[in-house]
Amino acid sequence: MGERIAVLGAAGYAGAVAAALLHRHPHFELAHVTARSDAGARLDAVHPRSRVPLVLEEYDGGLDVDAAVVAYPHGAAAPVVAELVERGVRVVDLSADFRLRELATYEEWYGEHGAPEWVGGAVYGLPELHRDAIAGAQLVANPGCYPTAAILALAPLARAGLLADVVIDAKSGVSGAGREPTHGKHFVSVDETVTPYKVGRHRHTPEIEQELGGDVRITFTPHLVPVAHGELVSCYVTTTRAADVAALYAEAYDGEPWVEVVAGPPGMQEVRETNFCRISLHGDERTGRTIVFATIDNLWKGTSSQAVQNLNLMFGRDESEGL
Amino acid sequence: MGERIAVLGAAGYAGAVAAALLHRHPHFELAHVTARSDAGARLDAVHPRSRVPLVLEEYDGGLDVDAAVVAYPHGAAAPVVAELVERGVRVVDLSADFRLRELATYEEWYGEHGAPEWVGGAVYGLPELHRDAIAGAQLVANPGCYPTAAILALAPLARAGLLADVVIDAKSGVSGAGREPTHGKHFVSVDETVTPYKVGRHRHTPEIEQELGGDVRITFTPHLVPVAHGELVSCYVTTTRAADVAALYAEAYDGEPWVEVVAGPPGMQEVRETNFCRISLHGDERTGRTIVFATIDNLWKGTSSQAVQNLNLMFGRDESEGL
Amino acid sequence: MGERIAVLGAAGYAGAVAAALLHRHPHFELAHVTARSDAGARLDAVHPRSRVPLVLEEYDGGLDVDAAVVAYPHGAAAPVVAELVERGVRVVDLSADFRLRELATYEEWYGEHGAPEWVGGAVYGLPELHRDAIAGAQLVANPGCYPTAAILALAPLARAGLLADVVIDAKSGVSGAGREPTHGKHFVSVDETVTPYKVGRHRHTPEIEQELGGDVRITFTPHLVPVAHGELVSCYVTTTRAADVAALYAEAYDGEPWVEVVAGPPGMQEVRETNFCRISLHGDERTGRTIVFATIDNLWKGTSSQAVQNLNLMFGRDESEGL
Amino acid sequence: MGERIAVLGAAGYAGAVAAALLHRHPHFELAHVTARSDAGARLDAVHPRSRVPLVLEEYDGGLDVDAAVVAYPHGAAAPVVAELVERGVRVVDLSADFRLRELATYEEWYGEHGAPEWVGGAVYGLPELHRDAIAGAQLVANPGCYPTAAILALAPLARAGLLADVVIDAKSGVSGAGREPTHGKHFVSVDETVTPYKVGRHRHTPEIEQELGGDVRITFTPHLVPVAHGELVSCYVTTTRAADVAALYAEAYDGEPWVEVVAGPPGMQEVRETNFCRISLHGDERTGRTIVFATIDNLWKGTSSQAVQNLNLMFGRDESEGL
């Protein structure tokens, strides 16, 4: 058995997937799962699809593990992550708390920070961009689901300085909004409809801009679709100049195990419950625009299987082990 | 009883909705319904949701009616429409055959035309733009579903000369693709996924550009979503100059019975099985873009209830009768 | 304008449909809509599909109306219904509080009753069984959704004394469980699954048995299906003797405007957003069983359009007016 | 690398899942995939969710393999299976052609048989009932999806002679009806509805009765539900006498790796894309009936993962390898 890992916040969707993946991982040992309101119940009772027989514990700060996946809401994560990191536990944080490198940007979009001394101290956990830094990191800030898809869709263009103007129209399944019941996630509210939300003010916007670099300002609009999990970003790019776009993506992703560049526009279904990001490129001859689609499973590559990919890198395992 | 109307092609989704609306219309008389492969069957047997007890006839050119709704595929419609119009029957054509005013544009996007002498002779059947011309028309070219939503979303900006650059990201339910069974419409192919299609080459593109006028070139990308009927267009507009956008929409639509401008982004569900188009306006402060959403039911305002709205206008009835 | 009607509890699914139907009713006047937590909001803001522009009021007992539709949860309904009836307002109660004629049965399945003096004083509001009594009733207990479908499916057999043994396997859309958000109604919980619930202990059981009469004991098992609204009951009947079952149903339903006996097994979709109950009959030759399917829209014939049908009868209107 | 396996008919849903499971199997080698109309295409192009990069070949009888999974329609399978078996290839046949031991029963339900000399020569491939015989079999007739769930649900009662009367109300996702596009599988036909089909005459009926043994006659009614894959059977049993039912199921399944007896009624979602069958037991005190629910994924335990389970047994591997 390898390193002992805890999943904090395992009763939520993301935590439950992380726990399931680590439970069946050939190397790591899933040592503890924790939860607040469901503490005392078995994880496979709270999530009947799960086959993880561990009892959810209440986290009181004393777990003896090598690493932790923290699946708390933003704000709640910061102090717990800081405590873990400070006593030597390596952390993959699924929240947004340590993704933005500038404290001022965090405060503008999220409000007060619970552990400002650690802002800027995390590695942004997108292996395709920061593989080496992740391997040595004490604290990995796991990307948001939309940023994972959007950044992978646009990074080759960004790196080449080609992004003049970007519109991202994103579609997400309902699990991306979390497990807490609300009117907006009631089956009857979501079924047979598509609804835009947080127009012009979704908090993943600055995260995408940070990783694309430069001074590009994106328009990012998410839509809720009647799908349990899955995410598609449709990116409309005006480039600064003509370029061999296909070659840029081949160069960027040909050696990547979890990024597939395909010919046809991909559907969400094609990556469901996998760690793959599937991308396609299209030129709109009439307008000169470049259109890039990228699709992931928001709970897998968009969150929890990517967390396992990061853990593999952090502990010197094969990046794809257990995925 | 009022004018006698036939629905040709009533076995398809659009034709069946048109027949149902006319069957329960307080004034018009649904005199005939026709179909090819389902001829001889009762319409309510082919479409169990329908309560139209008429038998589907094979159309042989001899129906004695005041008007006809032609629900044929493009190409097949043109000669039949021409025959009807030439013997004095007023027609609302649901196909694309007479929507484009330039024959060359039709040929570029659709191929050879079956009745070129009538190209340019139809009125484009969007009541909110062409109400008076529709009232006097012999032939009304009923708009496509995407164009209905997109043109209503953008017309106030277009009319004011404000459209500098437009991206339209559209989402449509499966009925928009018609009733003929294919792999792509199999439940298993559509369920739990969103898929872009006809990227950069959907035939509704020139129709939208024609009605917006000027020389704007749009990027239009449709996506298939797991919804039976419903359509949402998300329009990302760079305007030529600052303007009081809300005032433009109020001016355009305050008196319109079937266009609702609302505050929040609307979901498809809100207009399901109605003749409404619901629109919302948003400014993206960070980028200066204007974002307009519009949603319709693709089989109602996007096709068949709009056809009835047009028939009402053509025969001097209240525009909303029976809707 | 005709009688003035209030809908109490109009923010729930059933109340909202009742309000929408009464708002567009050609005779009745929808005079008031009330709600608790949403009081002060407009109904069309709480339910964006609704076009009812009335403001939700808090109910304090003082509404001046001819009749009220009470859409409260069981238990909460009883005292309010009693107060209304006692001051002369005619009531259609959508709750279960006055459906069971025996107080002891109510207490066994629901607990203490809030207005026991009125138990037995209501007419069971299934027009196909109790049309004349409804017309003269002060208080109509509107049937539950499952009982509506099950009783219509089985009444002709029951009346003929043919029911020896009955299994009812029922499937319901999610709106039947109400609008309050819970884990079980979260889109992710319902999507892509079918789940039995309340096995052997659903409270609609005694209501069905009461109306079928005799001493038949049914096995009734509901299942939640990924559908917004719709309900199907599959009834497996061992009959006491051979009989011309088709003739019994023809006799019972040939003159009924809202019951359709059809050949093929009906799907929920066929009655969606209508007041119809569609029934089919099948003999299983190998076992001698009679199988009866019945499908309704749980929010329409199963609740709110049936309430309007009852109001029509109570005030001497055509039973189908506004439906 | 271990035994070389071919999947014949890999373009269908069942064949594609079998190919995917064998492709990632740690021991077996997926040597060939075949198809008729899609021959020449890569499997991962025909099924974008698949990551099997093999080209679909046309089967001409000459494949050099140790075993074959035959995923042909019934009727078409028989001669091909016979040819394979006769030249020494071990076969798991997914069709119905060799499941019924009596030729007369086959002819009654399916018509003429294409290789009658092999009828009765296959082992029925339900490992929980026939594990030892499967291990030594040349030809395994893989059970139908409904029979897998129904037999596992009822076998402990059948074995104890407790089945007096059985009603099986079954619900299936659409993939169970196959990949060929039809009106009935169009998204719009299936969405938001539940529809019974083949009432009293579904061909899985005699297969279930054969394996339950004795002379019990079941009433079996399948329903189509808006789910891609998943199956639930609700079994209503009148027992011949009182018995400790829970003890019978514990005895039957406590050691079974792929059968889970749980407390609550299980939902389809809980076993999606797994080889599990999840069962729950309920007593209906009011009627004395025993109710048993069983759920599987129709394409996994109901077809293709069960085929792999059988191959593991046939070649002396751990039964759960690769599952």
Side-chain angles (χ1 to χ4, degrees), chain D residues 44-61:
Chain D
D44 55 4
V46 175
H47 286 280
R49 285 195 67 187
S50 171
R51 261 75 187 180
V52 177
L54 299 186
V55 171
L56 291 159
E57 308 166 44
E58 204 144 358
Y59 180 64
D60 63 355

Side-chain angles (χ1 to χ4, degrees), chain A residues 165 169 209 236 286 289, chain B residues 165 169 209 236 286 289:
Chain A
D165 184 69
D169 185 291
E209 290 181 345
Y236 302 93
R286 300 173 62 264
R289 258 197 200 84
Chain B
D165 183 70
D169 185 290
E209 290 179 347
Y236 302 93
R286 302 173 61 263
R289 253 195 204 87

